[in-house]
Amino acid sequence: MIQTSQTDQGTVIMICAIVCVAFIFVSFVGGSAQESVVESVVPVKCWEYSTGTDTARAVSSNATSIFVISGASTVKSLNSIDGKEEWASELGGEIVSNIVAAKERLYVVTSSITANGSSSKNFTLRTLSLATGIPVNSATLPMAETFRLVVEDEIVVAVGSAGSVNAFDPSGAALWNFAIGGKITAGPVAFGSGITLAAEDKTLRHVMVKTGDTTERNTGKASPISLARNANGTVFLGDDRGRLYRINGDTGREDWSFRGGGRFESMEIVGSNVLAASVDNFVYLISGSSGDVIWKRRLPGRLFGKPLILDDQIFVAIIGEPSLFILETSSGKISGRISSAGELGAEPIMATSGELILNLLEKISSYRRGQCRK
């Protein structure tokens, strides 16, 4: 039998204690690490559409197609499953609006130099066949740098950046119009049977698309530059002074306000909360009820376009970065990247059918979570 001294026994006990504590510590840390790991579903590439040397960008979609502006005045339709070109329509002049698809029609605004060669331009709302791209009818619009189109209840509303608001029926016949005394700074956002927009006169307006009837509300301190409405109709505004605030639907007053480090250029509704992107390179998730910050995430640069939301993930493009960052909606943690294998030439879009569309300098790429459609 081997005997040990009291000193040796103490040493053994101390070593055992250290090992036990270390084991407990490692087990605790390991468990925490496992609990904090964010599993990310990185979308897979499904197809590419080569644009060659032409300047082309995907700008909108419907359930089956991706709509592309190619050059200054060509509209193309790509199949959202395989990216194959379905048709192309040369409209002449320059496209100065978004593209909206509704039932069998596609709507877009073009500008062109007048026939006598003067510097003034004609602005035209064009209606195309959704199946073929062939022009169906057209209507004249007042002058503006750009237009934003919204289709509600089969009525097309063209909101000009200079303050004009014009409505047309599916045949192109004018229904109503009015002019705001100043530029449009935020919106339009569709809600119910109307659209909501804000102007540089610090007034928030909600316009009923069938009648043109308008309710107005002064927003107070500064001109809103971003606007969102949730399912209940609550209005959230971001202004050029770096404030984000909620407007009370009954009183028209602020329920709460939050100040960031720069102006909020985009806002999106996420459940009952607001996802807001600021020019200080931060993305914030703000509680819609209280205005408290749920989380914030600093990114390595300024956002290229607005954040794109797909279920439990947020995709953000950064100016000068050759990839998209994936953030978890619940926590804001960066959980992955999509390597674009090329420089982004325009902001990405989220297709109606669930594809994430990247606009690269010489190609358009489609990504999808899970498996590609066939």
Side-chain angles (χ1 to χ4, degrees):
M1 181 175 180
I2 301 175
Q3 296 183 345
T4 58
S5 65
Q6 290 183 347
T7 302
D8 292 336
Q9 290 176 351
T11 302
V12 171
I13 293 172
M14 182 176 294
I15 292 172
C16 180
I18 293 173
V19 170
C20 292
V21 170
F23 176 80
I24 293 171
F25 176 78
V26 171
S27 299
F28 175 78
V29 172
S32 297
Q34 288 176 356
E35 291 173 0
S36 64
V37 168
V38 178
E39 294 184 1
S40 177
V41 179
V42 178
V44 296
K45 183 186 289 186
C46 294
W47 53 259
E48 282 186 353
Y49 174 80
S50 176
T51 61
T53 58
D54 190 17
T55 302
R57 65 192 189 281
V59 295
S60 63
S61 66
N62 65 1
T64 61
S65 301
I66 309 296
F67 304 110
V68 174
I69 295 176
S70 180
S73 57
T74 299
V75 176
K76 294 182 178 181
S77 176
L78 308 182
N79 187 294
S80 62
I81 295 177
D82 55 20
K84 292 183 179 179
E85 188 174 309
E86 297 171 324
W87 53 256
S89 182
E90 169 58 49
L91 302 178
E94 179 183 5
I95 294 172
V96 292
S97 75
N98 58 320
I99 298 174
V100 177
K103 292 193 174 181
E104 292 94 20
R105 297 288 184 263
L106 199 71
Y107 302 94
V108 64
V109 178
T110 61
S111 69
S112 61
I113 300 296
T114 55
N116 61 13
S118 66
S119 59
S120 60
K121 294 182 178 181
N122 292 325
F123 294 86
T124 305
L125 171 66
R126 300 187 182 276
T127 304
L128 312 179
S129 164
L130 190 56
T132 64
I134 296 174
V136 177
N137 55 52
S138 62
T140 301
L141 292 171
M143 183 176 293
E145 290 184 8
T146 59
F147 287 84
R148 196 72 189 167
L149 301 178
V150 179
V151 179
E152 287 290 318
D153 296 329
E154 297 189 56
I155 295 173
V156 187
V157 183
V159 179
S161 57
S164 63
V165 185
N166 292 256
F168 304 86
D169 69 14
S171 70
L175 296 176
W176 52 262
N177 68 83
F178 65 87
I180 296 170
K183 293 182 178 180
I184 304 298
T185 58
V189 171
F191 179 77
S193 296
I195 58 171
T196 304
L197 49 87
E200 64 181 355
D201 62 359
K202 303 177 184 178
T203 300
L204 184 71
R205 294 172 172 85
H206 185 68
V207 186
M208 303 307 295
V209 297
K210 288 186 177 180
T211 62
D213 293 340
T214 303
T215 58
E216 298 184 358
R217 181 176 298 155
N218 191 284
T219 60
K221 300 176 182 178
S223 297
I225 60 171
S226 55
L227 165 66
R229 296 193 76 163
N230 65 15
N232 297 324
T234 304
V235 178
F236 301 91
L237 298 171
D239 66 25
D240 54 5
R241 298 182 183 179
R243 290 191 321 127
L244 187 153
Y245 48 102
R246 189 180 84 170
I247 299 295
N248 188 292
D250 297 324
T251 66
R253 298 177 181 176
E254 291 182 19
D255 285 331
W256 53 255
S257 66
F258 167 78
R259 184 174 292 277
R263 65 183 182 275
F264 289 98
E265 293 195 326
S266 71
M267 288 191 293
E268 301 291 332
I269 299 297
V270 180
S272 60
N273 303 315
V274 183
L275 183 72
S278 171
V279 295
D280 65 353
N281 302 344
F282 273 93
V283 176
Y284 301 83
L285 186 66
I286 308 293
S287 167
S289 59
S290 66
D292 295 333
V293 177
I294 298 172
W295 57 255
K296 63 179 181 179
R297 173 61 54 191
R298 184 166 189 171
L299 299 169
R302 188 170 173 180
L303 265 66
F304 195 171
K306 63 182 181 180
L308 304 175
I309 304 166
L310 181 60
D311 301 325
D312 56 348
Q313 292 182 324
I314 300 166
F315 302 89
V316 290
I318 307 298
I319 295 175
E321 287 281 340
S323 59
L324 269 69
F325 290 86
I326 303 174
L327 279 59
E328 298 304 308
T329 305
S330 60
S331 64
K333 291 181 179 179
I334 297 175
S335 59
R337 291 190 185 190
I338 299 174
S339 178
S340 60
E343 184 179 349
L344 292 172
E347 64 186 78
I349 67 167
M350 186 68 70
T352 306
S353 50
E355 280 80 18
L356 180 64
I357 308 298
L358 271 59
N359 288 306
L360 307 177
L361 291 180
E362 296 181 352
K363 58 188 175 183
I364 294 170
S365 298
S366 170
Y367 291 78
R368 189 174 180 86
R369 294 211 320 182
Q371 296 182 342
C372 299
R373 295 183 297 153
K374 295 181 180 179

